[in-house]
Amino acid sequence: MANEAKPCPCDIGDRMEYGALGQEVQIEHFKAYVVKPSTASDKAIIVIQDIFGWQLPNTRYMADMLAANGYIAICPDFFVGKEPWSPTKDWSNFQEWLQDKKPTAINKEVDAVLKFLKDQCGVKHIGVVGFCWGGVATHYLALLYPEIKAGVSVYGMPLLQQNTALEANLKEKCKVDYQVKIFPGQTHGFVHRKREDINPADKPYIQEARKDLLNWLNKYM
């Protein structure tokens, strides 16, 4: 499930050489990547980055996939200009790097994104998808913002025992529909950091997870 020897089991994975289909816009004090579907939509998904930042081509690929399925997708820079984590950095400094990048301290930016989507894009239905760091943020936002109608946290809990605890808490306290799904044998980051074209053994799991993500959003959006 994850490499527990690190404080976060992230690896950059197969970085995609990908041009992306959307554009970068300025929203108040930060930037965001926005991509729209080919036909008008009043549904939007906030895509929350992993520790490698909002400009990672793999994350923009996922935003474009959402747009291809009828959603406006927006990937804000929730680090607000601060340098993302790099595979070349020393993991012993990870907690220090994380200090001013808490996934539960993005309310100001989320409020601005929601206003942008409603005022500039005519959005009426909003969901959120987050990867790794963004998966933690997804849990937080889903609890805090009533206008968020669906959320998908992709490896927001990096360790297996954390998933077990999450499922137990959901079973006890959650009053809405939820699902916790584990893909045995897959590494942290596999849904967006593994290229299915060069990982044939993993391809069925990558595709299944992406299909699950879309099905969940389609069901509740």
Side-chain angles (χ1 to χ4, degrees):
M1 184 69 187
N3 178 2
E4 299 181 22
K6 296 179 181 178
C8 174
C10 292
D11 186 277
I12 195 68
D14 306 318
R15 187 182 178 108
M16 296 178 180
E17 297 302 325
Y18 180 68
L21 304 177
Q23 60 182 345
E24 295 183 6
V25 300
Q26 186 76 32
I27 302 176
E28 295 187 8
H29 59 290
F30 59 96
K31 291 183 177 180
Y33 172 76
V34 179
V35 57
K36 295 183 178 180
S38 56
T39 57
S41 175
D42 64 356
K43 298 179 180 181
I45 305 297
I46 302 171
V47 180
I48 309 184
Q49 68 214 44
D50 59 21
I51 61 171
F52 300 113
W54 72 297
Q55 292 180 312
L56 185 72
N58 306 55
T59 304
R60 296 192 174 190
Y61 177 86
M62 298 300 293
D64 289 358
M65 182 194 77
L66 289 166
N69 283 272
Y71 297 99
I72 298 169
I74 182 168
C75 182
D77 176 16
F78 282 118
F79 294 165
V80 195
K82 299 185 182 79
E83 186 179 2
W85 186 255
S86 167
T88 61
K89 291 182 182 292
D90 184 349
W91 280 100
S92 66
N93 298 322
F94 180 73
Q95 292 300 330
E96 180 182 354
W97 170 87
L98 192 62
Q99 283 302 307
D100 62 350
K101 303 173 189 70
K102 298 293 186 184
T104 55
I106 58 175
N107 301 66
K108 185 177 180 180
E109 290 72 40
V110 172
D111 291 343
V113 169
L114 292 175
K115 187 176 188 301
F116 171 83
L117 290 173
K118 294 170 184 176
D119 295 351
Q120 303 297 320
C121 305
V123 167
K124 297 178 181 177
H125 309 276
I126 299 171
V128 60
V129 172
F131 303 91
C132 176
W133 184 96
V136 179
T138 296
H139 291 287
Y140 174 68
L141 299 185
L143 290 170
L144 192 63
Y145 288 87
E147 54 262 77
I148 292 177
K149 301 305 180 185
V152 180
S153 170
V154 189
Y155 23 85
M157 301 292 179
L159 306 181
L160 192 58
Q161 62 266 32
Q162 290 176 323
N163 283 285
T164 303
L166 171 66
E167 191 164 20
N169 282 328
L170 288 170
K171 186 175 182 179
E172 179 185 355
K173 301 173 183 177
C174 189
K175 305 302 182 185
V176 297
D177 196 10
Y178 68 88
Q179 180 185 15
V180 177
K181 187 170 182 177
I182 296 171
F183 291 78
Q186 291 303 297
T187 56
H188 182 87
F190 79 99
V191 180
H192 78 304
R193 293 203 212 110
K194 275 189 179 179
R195 284 174 47 184
E196 58 267 40
D197 58 330
I198 60 174
N199 293 281
D202 301 312
K203 183 176 180 177
Y205 303 104
I206 297 170
Q207 292 180 331
E208 181 181 350
R210 291 177 181 175
K211 183 179 179 181
D212 288 346
L213 183 155
L214 289 168
N215 285 345
W216 189 265
L217 295 174
N218 292 340
K219 184 177 181 180
Y220 293 105
M221 290 284 289

